[in-house]
Amino acid sequence: MHRLAALSAHLCPQPGLRKLLVANRGEIALRVMRAATELEIETVAIFTRLDADALHTRSAGASVEVPSYLDTAAIVKAALDNDCDALHPGYGFLSESADLARSCEQAGLRFVGPTPATIALLGDKLAARRLAQHAGVPVANGSDQP
């Protein structure tokens, strides 16, 4: 039930969510798709030519080939072309991409993760450190300079 709670915290507040594009592969994609299925949300997987027969592509309700797992424009287009309401970046590079979150926002897709502004802020380690200090969060000793 742990994976269901984690995903539903991001997805359930959005009424009418029907279809989710999972922008990752392998075990990560399978876990996200399993949780979405438990929430009765259809899933769409992406894959590259090398992964065409991978388990995550066969486990999703639909699968779409993209040139690269890091091609933001192709991933957002795949979500829109497949009538998705939301996009889950999985874990790793895309989950830290303010560009992908912004592209989803501009396309009218829900990005399952932080806002583009939050991703950008936390990607700047000095700004994130200052924010934490300002909020009274203990931080390890270190420099406030680049």
Side-chain angles (χ1 to χ4, degrees), residues 3-118:
R3 66 183 177 276
L4 177 61
L7 184 61
S8 66
H10 288 293
L11 296 178
C12 286
Q14 180 87 10
L17 188 60
R18 305 169 294 99
K19 194 183 274 191
L20 174 71
L21 182 128
V22 181
N24 213 298
R25 61 184 174 178
E27 180 64 22
I28 303 290
L30 291 170
R31 288 175 186 236
V32 172
M33 288 188 288
R34 189 176 311 123
T37 300
E38 289 175 13
L39 292 168
E40 298 180 356
I41 298 169
E42 295 177 56
T43 58
V44 176
I46 60 170
F47 65 93
T48 63
R49 182 181 51 80
L50 298 174
D51 289 330
D53 294 323
L55 181 57
H56 78 280
T57 64
R58 292 180 278 128
S59 298
S63 297
V64 181
E65 185 173 358
V66 293
S68 163
Y69 287 102
L70 300 178
D71 188 332
T72 298
I75 292 167
V76 170
K77 182 178 183 328
L80 294 173
D81 288 351
N82 283 273
D83 199 28
C84 292
D85 305 297
L87 184 147
H88 192 298
Y91 303 99
F93 293 116
L94 292 179
S95 67
E96 299 173 6
S97 173
D99 181 49
L100 177 61
R102 195 173 306 104
S103 295
C104 287
E105 192 175 82
Q106 291 168 349
L109 292 167
R110 178 172 168 95
F111 180 78
V112 181
T115 65
T118 299

